[in-house]
């Protein structure tokens, strides 16, 4: 789920940017500072939407930059347990499928793809159901439910943080799975 949150901070505006619009430079600087950061409570920082308040600049001896206290609105992404998410299968491995859900990835373990027994087809790079012959390939669009969410709180600006976070997904419920499976199930129930 995406959240908007108000944050207070101080932004450093370097002297070579004094001639540019203050709000624009402050938003750009804040985005560079926070991009890719994870917070256990807020989730993954996406961007600064707007600056609500910007204080008068202060100078610090020995630094030509201006420091402004700001209150800004930021957008975060944090999947919640039991939330329904849609995404694209980006990788198939023998133990499941990795799905890109917004700016993060989740894993659908082979036991959570369908109620059917699943085989991994290494040549094709696909997961194939034994009884129903349903298949899951890279590039497929799916709908899944988050069954476990573990966000690692890291304060460094590093995309490795999102890889350390774990999002477990399932497609073993009604109206979940590959979009084509959902449509087929609707057609069967209608008649």
């Amino acid at each position: 789920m995406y959240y908007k949150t108000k944050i207070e901070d101080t932004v450093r505006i370097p002297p070579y940017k004094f001639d540019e619009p203050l709000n624009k430079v402050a938003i750009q600087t804040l985005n560079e500072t926070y991009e890719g950061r994870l917070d256990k409570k807020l989730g993954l920082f996406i961007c600064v939407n707007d600056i609500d308040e910007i204080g008068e600049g202060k100078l610090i001896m020995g630094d030509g930059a201006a420091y402004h206290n700001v209150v800004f609105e930021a957008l975060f992404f944090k999947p919640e347990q039991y939330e329904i998410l849609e995404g694209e299968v980006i990788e198939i491995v023998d133990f499941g499928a990795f799905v890109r859900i917004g700016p993060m990835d989740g894993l659908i373990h082979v036991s959570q793809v369908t109620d059917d027994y699943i085989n991994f087809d290494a040549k094709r790079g696909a997961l194939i159901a034994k009884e129903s012959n349903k298949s899951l390939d890279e590039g497929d669009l799916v709908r899944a439910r988050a069954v476990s969410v573990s966000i690692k709180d890291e304060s460094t600006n590093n995309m490795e943080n999102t890889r350390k976070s774990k999002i477990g997904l399932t497609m073993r419920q009604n109206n979940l799975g590959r979009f084509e499976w959902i449509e087929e199930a609707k057609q069967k129930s209608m008649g």
Side-chain angles (χ1 to χ4, degrees):
M1 177 151 323
Y2 290 90
Y3 295 98
K4 286 184 187 176
T5 303
K6 298 243 188 254
I7 297 176
E8 292 182 39
D9 199 356
T10 301
V11 65
R12 179 186 183 274
I13 308 296
Y16 64 88
K17 292 198 173 191
F18 284 171
D19 61 338
E20 297 178 37
L22 183 57
N23 266 26
K24 179 185 166 204
V25 174
I27 288 173
Q28 180 183 4
T29 304
L30 289 166
N31 278 325
E32 289 169 2
T33 301
Y34 284 102
E35 184 179 6
R37 288 207 179 173
L38 270 173
D39 181 274
K40 196 172 186 99
K41 290 180 183 164
L42 298 173
L44 179 67
F45 175 87
I46 304 296
C47 69
V48 173
N49 283 348
D50 196 15
I51 294 190
D52 293 344
E53 297 173 31
I54 190 156
E56 194 171 307
K58 294 178 183 162
L59 299 175
I60 295 176
M61 185 87 70
D63 185 356
Y67 290 81
H68 297 266
N69 290 329
V70 292
V71 176
F72 61 94
E73 184 179 272
L75 182 66
F76 286 87
F77 176 77
K78 183 181 181 197
E80 300 289 339
Q81 191 162 2
Y82 309 119
E83 180 179 2
I84 302 289
L85 301 159
E86 293 183 350
E88 179 182 355
V89 176
I90 58 167
E91 184 180 3
I92 301 284
V93 291
D94 59 346
F95 57 87
F98 287 97
V99 178
R100 174 85 19 98
I101 46 174
M104 299 177 89
D105 298 339
L107 172 67
I108 303 170
H109 188 268
V110 288
S111 66
Q112 298 300 311
V113 174
T114 68
D115 290 333
D116 205 344
Y117 182 79
I118 299 291
N119 288 313
F120 173 63
D121 183 340
K123 280 186 185 174
R124 184 171 146 195
L127 298 175
I128 300 171
K130 189 173 184 177
E131 302 284 326
S132 63
N133 226 17
K134 291 178 178 176
S135 68
L136 194 61
D137 296 271
E138 278 185 29
D140 286 345
L141 299 177
V142 298
R143 182 178 299 146
R145 180 182 305 274
V147 290
S148 65
V149 178
S150 173
I151 303 290
K152 297 294 179 205
D153 192 357
E154 300 283 337
S155 58
T156 58
N157 188 3
N158 184 344
M159 288 309 289
E160 187 66 28
N161 301 337
T162 59
R163 290 187 194 96
K164 290 179 184 175
S165 296
K166 307 279 188 242
I167 303 165
L169 304 169
T170 186
M171 297 192 313
R172 289 182 61 173
Q173 297 170 358
N174 287 338
N175 294 315
L176 298 180
R178 202 171 115 186
F179 285 178
E180 291 82 359
W181 304 348
I182 297 167
E183 196 55 42
E184 287 171 14
K186 281 183 189 175
Q187 296 301 324
K188 283 182 184 177
S189 69
M190 292 173 68

